[in-house]
Amino acid sequence: MNPSLPGVLFGLAAFASWGFLPAYWKQMQAAQPFEILCHRIVWSCAFVFVILCVQKRGKEVVQVFKSPAQVKGLAISSTLIAANWFVYIWAVNSGRVLETSLGYYINPMINVLLGFVLLNETFTRMQCISLGFALTGVIYSLLAYGKLPLFGLTLAISFAFYGYCRKRIQVAPLPGLFVETLILMVPALAYILFLMGKGDSLFFKDPGLTLWMIGAGVVTSLPLLWFAAAAKRLKLSTIGILQYLAPSIAFTLGVFVYKEPFSTHNLITFACIWTGVALYTLEFVKHHHPRETGRGAAAGREQDRM
C-alpha cells in the first residue's frame, strides 16, 4: 500500500466530517445554540479524557498544568474556540450554512494576514492578489446587501486567532483540547444544570435529542484524531488542498439540501472568494517542497475545528 494512502484517507475523513457538521447541528434545532455549545464542551471534555486515558497520555496534561504560561494561553484559546463554536452552531441553525462555508474559505487567507501583522511575515505577490479577491467578495456582499457577512467573518477571524494562539502555545492537539474544554466545563455544566433545574432543557426529556447532544463530544474529537493521523503522513501542501473539502461540503449542503437562497449576488461573492482560494492554493503548493511531510501542519494547524 502506498504509505500516503492512509494519510489521504484520514485527511478525507477529518475534513469530510467537518464539512457535514451542519447536518449534525440541524438535528438539535429544538435546543438553543448556547445550550448545544455547553453540551459540546462537556461531552468533548469527557470523550477526550477517555481517549487520553486509553492512550496513557495523562503526563502530557500534567505537564501543561505545570506551566502557568501554557494554562493562561489555553484559557485565551478556549474562549476563542468557544466563541467560534457558538457562532457556528448559531449560524447553522438559523439557516446560514452558506455563510459558514464562506467563512472557512476565507480563513486561510486571514491566517496569512495575521502572519503579516503579528509575526512580521511577508506577503508574496500571489498572496496579495488572493487576499484582494477575498476582500473584493466581502466588499461586494456589503454593497449588494447593505451589510457584511458577519457570521462568516466572525468564524474566519475567531478561528484564525485561535490557530495563532495554539501555534504559540505549542501543545499537542488532544491534551490541548482537553485542557481547553476542562477550563470551560464548569460554567458549561453549571448552565446545563441551571436549565434542567428550571425545566427549560430537553436533555433527558427527549431521548433522541439527548443522544445527539452526548454525541457532540464524539463529532468534535474524532475528526481531530483523524486530522492528526493525516498530518503525520501527508505533505503540508496536500493538507492545504484537502482543507477546502469541508467548506465545499457545507456549501453543497446549504444550496442543495437546505435550499438556502443563492442569488446572482451570492454567486459573484463566492466567485471572488473561490478565485482567491485558487490563487492561494497554487501559491501554497508552489512554496512547499514536495518531500516535506505533514509534521509542520500538526504544529501550525492543530486547530480543533468548528
Side-chain angles (χ1 to χ4, degrees):
M1 181 182 292
N2 186 326
S4 67
L5 180 57
V8 171
L9 294 177
F10 279 124
L12 289 174
F15 289 108
S17 298
W18 285 323
F20 281 110
L21 265 182
Y24 193 92
W25 304 131
K26 288 283 189 182
Q27 306 307 311
M28 291 181 277
Q29 282 186 298
Q32 294 298 314
F34 193 72
E35 182 183 5
I36 298 172
L37 169 68
C38 290
H39 279 282
R40 185 178 189 181
I41 290 168
V42 169
W43 297 112
S44 294
C45 187
F47 187 70
V48 173
F49 175 75
V50 171
I51 295 173
L52 290 171
C53 288
V54 171
Q55 296 182 349
K56 299 179 180 179
R57 298 174 64 183
K59 290 182 179 180
E60 295 181 50
V61 177
V62 173
Q63 286 300 119
V64 172
F65 281 108
K66 286 182 178 179
S67 170
Q70 287 191 332
V71 173
K72 181 180 178 181
L74 288 170
I76 296 172
S77 67
S78 68
T79 303
L80 288 167
I81 197 60
N84 181 273
W85 285 355
F86 174 67
V87 171
Y88 187 75
I89 294 167
W90 182 15
V92 167
N93 286 353
S94 60
R96 292 178 171 87
V97 176
L98 275 176
E99 196 170 329
T100 68
S101 72
L102 184 145
Y104 285 112
Y105 277 127
I106 293 174
N107 172 253
M109 288 172 276
I110 298 293
N111 289 337
V112 172
L113 186 59
L114 282 185
F116 174 76
V117 175
L118 300 178
L119 300 176
N120 296 318
E121 296 176 356
T122 57
F123 279 145
T124 65
R125 182 171 177 271
M126 192 69 79
Q127 285 175 334
C128 287
I129 296 173
S130 66
L131 281 165
F133 273 105
L135 182 61
T136 300
V138 171
I139 292 174
Y140 181 84
S141 179
L142 174 63
L143 295 176
Y145 297 106
K147 58 182 181 180
L148 291 169
L150 292 179
F151 281 106
L153 289 175
T154 301
L155 289 172
I157 293 170
S158 63
F159 198 57
F161 273 102
Y162 173 73
Y164 169 76
C165 287
R166 286 300 302 269
K167 184 173 182 178
R168 291 184 66 87
I169 301 167
Q170 294 184 342
V171 176
L174 274 181
L177 178 61
F178 175 70
V179 174
E180 286 171 338
T181 52
L182 188 63
I183 290 170
L184 297 168
M185 190 177 70
V186 172
L189 185 58
Y191 183 75
I192 291 170
L193 294 175
F194 170 73
L195 287 182
M196 293 176 68
K198 289 178 60 181
D200 292 339
S201 174
L202 294 175
F203 191 65
F204 284 143
K205 291 182 179 179
D206 184 328
L209 186 61
T210 299
L211 290 175
W212 285 111
M213 287 181 170
I214 294 173
V218 179
V219 300
T220 297
S221 307
L222 269 186
L224 180 62
L225 284 175
W226 293 332
F227 174 78
K232 290 179 181 178
R233 294 168 171 83
L234 295 178
K235 295 179 292 184
L236 187 57
S237 56
T238 304
I239 293 289
I241 294 171
L242 286 177
Q243 71 180 322
Y244 291 112
L245 177 62
S248 298
I249 291 174
F251 176 86
T252 303
L253 287 175
V255 174
F256 298 105
V257 177
Y258 301 122
K259 308 296 183 181
E260 293 183 8
F262 190 71
S263 65
T264 302
H265 293 314
N266 293 118
L267 179 60
I268 293 172
T269 296
F270 271 91
C272 292
I273 302 299
W274 287 331
T275 302
V277 165
L279 294 173
Y280 172 87
T281 304
L282 287 173
E283 181 73 357
F284 187 87
V285 173
K286 179 181 176 182
H287 283 82
H288 287 87
H289 195 281
R291 294 182 63 185
E292 182 178 359
T293 67
R295 295 185 185 275
R301 298 175 181 272
E302 54 185 24
Q303 302 144 336
D304 309 318
R305 183 68 67 116
M306 290 74 92

